Amino acid sequence: MSNARGIPQVEKKVLVASLLFAGAMLALIAYAAIRLGISVPTCITNVKPFEEGQLIRVAPGRYEAHMVAKKWSFLPSSIKVERGSVVDFYVTSKDIVHGFMIDGTEVNLMALPGVVNYMQTRFDKPGKHQILCHEYCGTGHHDMVGFVEVTP
Ligand code: CUA
């Protein structure tokens, strides 16, 4: 099915089909970005890195948590919010790269020195969530645990 010097017919068809497919995907991405206004979420903020960890109650059921990761703990090491609370997590590191993950939630950030990352979550069920460092950061890595306690 091939002539002497050209590309075989079937390969041409596959080539055309794959180019059309790639073109269609690009068109869909452009459509999503331009017409639907969908963009890849970013968690990086321009908040200035802070040194102090703290939980700020901004309104009933609304909190801002400024979390500092360091070798080998989180500051504050434990926070307490009431059930149904929405918490804005701002996360940074005092020294090296750490991870910041809250089990049972979608919060999963890197804790980076010099940068503040952000994610919001809502705690609907009472109980205790572990905050874990999921980036190997040295001999105390496995001890890097914090808690979010959700009161009824
Ligand atoms: Cu911090 Cu691993």
Side-chain angles (χ1 to χ4, degrees):
M1 280 286 193
S2 66
N3 52 37
R5 18 181 211 135
I7 306 170
Q9 264 322 305
V10 65
E11 282 190 23
K12 269 187 196 162
K13 281 183 189 161
V14 170
L15 194 65
V16 168
S18 54
L19 286 175
L20 283 175
F21 183 75
M25 288 299 124
L26 283 175
L28 281 174
I29 291 170
Y31 177 74
I34 296 161
R35 297 303 299 271
L36 304 179
I38 296 169
S39 62
V40 178
T42 174
C43 55
I44 296 173
T45 67
N46 0 334
V47 175
K48 262 180 103 185
F50 39 83
E51 295 260 301
E52 303 272 306
Q54 58 178 332
L55 179 70
I56 305 160
R57 188 169 186 263
V58 289
R62 285 295 273 110
Y63 292 89
E64 240 180 55
H66 294 192
M67 305 297 296
V68 177
K70 64 179 183 75
K71 288 191 249 170
W72 281 282
S73 62
F74 295 104
L75 302 172
S77 61
S78 125
I79 63 174
K80 202 188 269 189
V81 299
E82 67 271 17
R83 172 192 184 172
S85 293
V86 175
V87 184
D88 292 308
F89 284 94
Y90 293 90
V91 178
T92 190
S93 167
K94 231 177 194 177
D95 38 45
I96 57 171
V97 174
H98 297 278
F100 184 89
M101 189 187 136
I102 306 175
D103 85 294
T105 75
E106 67 282 20
V107 176
N108 184 341
L109 293 166
M110 298 301 294
L112 306 169
V115 177
V116 176
N117 283 341
Y118 166 81
M119 226 173 143
Q120 183 186 77
T121 196
R122 188 189 157 99
F123 293 95
D124 280 322
K125 282 191 213 136
K128 230 174 178 189
H129 297 265
Q130 275 194 328
I131 303 172
L132 298 161
C133 176
H134 57 62
E135 190 68 26
Y136 183 72
C137 55
T139 53
H141 167 69
H142 61 281
D143 288 329
M144 246 183 113
V145 179
F147 292 97
V148 178
E149 194 184 330
V150 184
T151 59

